[in-house]
Amino acid sequence: DLVASSSKPIVALIVGRHSPSGKVMGHAGALIGGERDTASSKAAALAEAGAHVVTSPLAVAERLQALLPKHQSKAIEDAR
Protein backbone atom coordinates (compact mmCIF):
# COMPACT_ATOMS: atom_id res chain seq x y z
CA ASP A 1 0.00 0.00 0.00
CA LEU A 2 1.50 3.30 -1.10
CA VAL A 3 0.25 5.36 1.85
CA ALA A 4 1.32 2.85 4.50
CA SER A 5 4.75 2.33 2.94
CA SER A 6 5.56 6.02 2.62
CA SER A 7 8.30 7.36 4.88
CA LYS A 8 6.65 10.78 4.66
CA PRO A 9 3.26 11.85 5.97
CA ILE A 10 0.50 11.90 3.33
CA VAL A 11 -2.08 14.70 3.49
CA ALA A 12 -5.14 14.27 1.26
CA LEU A 13 -7.88 16.67 0.24
CA ILE A 14 -10.84 15.13 -1.58
CA VAL A 15 -12.71 17.67 -3.69
CA GLY A 16 -16.24 17.33 -5.06
CA ARG A 17 -17.79 16.32 -1.74
CA HIS A 18 -20.74 18.64 -2.30
CA SER A 19 -21.60 17.58 -5.84
CA PRO A 20 -25.20 16.45 -6.20
CA SER A 21 -25.60 12.68 -6.18
CA GLY A 22 -26.07 11.22 -9.64
CA LYS A 23 -24.97 14.37 -11.47
CA VAL A 24 -21.73 14.50 -13.45
CA MET A 25 -19.90 17.73 -12.71
CA GLY A 26 -16.74 18.25 -14.70
CA HIS A 27 -13.64 16.08 -14.55
CA ALA A 28 -14.05 14.92 -10.92
CA GLY A 29 -17.65 13.93 -11.55
CA ALA A 30 -16.65 11.94 -14.60
CA LEU A 31 -14.49 9.73 -12.39
CA ILE A 32 -17.31 8.74 -10.03
CA GLY A 33 -18.74 5.30 -10.68
CA GLY A 34 -20.36 3.31 -7.88
CA GLU A 35 -20.53 3.82 -4.12
CA ARG A 36 -16.84 2.90 -3.83
CA ASP A 37 -15.94 5.99 -5.87
CA THR A 38 -17.73 8.60 -3.75
CA ALA A 39 -15.77 11.34 -2.01
CA SER A 40 -16.67 9.98 1.42
CA SER A 41 -15.58 6.43 0.60
CA LYS A 42 -12.32 7.70 -0.90
CA ALA A 43 -11.64 9.79 2.22
CA ALA A 44 -12.42 6.82 4.47
CA ALA A 45 -10.10 4.52 2.50
CA LEU A 46 -7.27 7.05 2.61
CA ALA A 47 -7.72 7.60 6.36
CA GLU A 48 -7.80 3.84 6.97
CA ALA A 49 -4.54 3.53 5.03
CA GLY A 50 -2.93 6.14 7.26
CA ALA A 51 -3.30 9.36 5.29
CA HIS A 52 -4.22 12.59 7.03
CA VAL A 53 -7.51 13.50 5.32
CA VAL A 54 -8.55 17.15 5.53
CA THR A 55 -11.59 19.04 4.25
CA SER A 56 -10.23 22.37 3.00
CA PRO A 57 -7.14 23.89 1.41
CA LEU A 58 -6.49 25.81 4.64
CA ALA A 59 -6.61 22.53 6.57
CA VAL A 60 -3.92 21.12 4.24
CA ALA A 61 -1.58 23.94 5.22
CA GLU A 62 -2.43 23.62 8.91
CA ARG A 63 -1.93 19.85 8.95
CA LEU A 64 1.38 20.11 7.10
CA GLN A 65 2.54 22.78 9.50
CA ALA A 66 1.73 20.46 12.41
CA LEU A 67 3.27 17.36 10.81
CA LEU A 68 6.48 18.71 9.31
CA PRO A 69 8.37 19.55 12.51
CA LYS A 70 7.65 16.03 13.82
CA HIS A 71 8.63 14.43 10.52
CA GLN A 72 11.81 16.51 10.22
CA SER A 73 12.87 15.60 13.76
CA LYS A 74 12.34 11.90 13.05
CA ALA A 75 14.27 12.14 9.76
CA ILE A 76 17.21 13.77 11.57
CA GLU A 77 17.18 11.05 14.23
CA ASP A 78 17.02 8.31 11.60
CA ALA A 79 19.98 9.85 9.73
CA ARG A 80 22.24 9.73 12.81
Side-chain angles (χ1 to χ4, degrees), residues 2-46:
L2 183 62
V3 174
S5 66
S6 176
S7 63
K8 298 178 176 131
I10 305 292
V11 178
L13 170 64
I14 307 296
V15 298
R17 295 183 332 248
H18 304 292
S19 299
S21 180
K23 184 171 183 177
V24 176
M25 297 188 66
H27 182 71
L31 298 176
I32 295 176
E35 174 59 33
R36 193 186 119 190
D37 293 333
T38 64
S40 60
S41 65
K42 289 176 184 180
L46 283 163

